């Protein structure tokens, strides 16, 4: 768990065969945003480091906006 700009980032241990898939959560004020990426990582320490880095990137790019996104997008 890592605190960054008043958000909490957590790595998720998501197994993909013999590897881990990059995944985590970003939380703030009882709201949660989950992210899963295609990246595969060989060990848990690297997974945690990359998940924190990806979480910081998402926060820097989108800030509070991550909690207002709807996915998948609704067709017009």
């Amino acid at each position: 768990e890592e605190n960054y700009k008043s958000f909490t980032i957590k790595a998720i241990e998501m197994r993909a065969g013999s590897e881990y898939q990059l995944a985590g959560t970003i939380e703030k004020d009882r709201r949660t945003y989950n992210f899963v990426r295609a990246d595969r990582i060989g060990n848990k320490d690297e997974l945690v480091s990359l998940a924190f880095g990806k979480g910081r990137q998402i926060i820097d790019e989108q800030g509070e906006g991550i909690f207002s996104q709807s996915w998948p997008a609704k067709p017009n």
Side-chain angles (χ1 to χ4, degrees), residues 24-60:
T25 63
I26 300 171
E27 301 174 351
K28 183 175 182 180
D29 301 329
R30 298 185 201 180
R31 297 174 294 171
T32 302
Y33 173 79
N34 298 304
F35 62 91
V36 178
R37 299 296 184 260
D39 305 75
R40 301 289 173 97
I41 297 98
N43 69 63
K44 198 183 296 188
D45 291 336
E46 188 177 355
L47 165 72
V48 171
S49 176
L50 289 172
F52 290 163
K54 179 54 75 174
R56 288 189 299 268
Q57 179 185 3
I58 292 168
I59 292 166
D60 288 342

Side-chain angles (χ1 to χ4, degrees), residues 4 9-11 13-14 20 25-28 31 34 37 43 45 53 58-59 61 64 68-69 71-72 76:
Y4 181 72
I9 305 167
K10 297 179 183 177
E13 186 179 317
M14 183 180 288
Y20 297 95
T25 63
I26 300 171
E27 301 174 351
K28 183 175 182 180
R31 297 174 294 171
N34 298 304
R37 299 296 184 260
N43 69 63
D45 291 336
I58 292 168
I59 292 166
E61 290 175 355
E64 300 266 344
S68 62
Q69 295 178 6
W71 183 259
N76 293 332

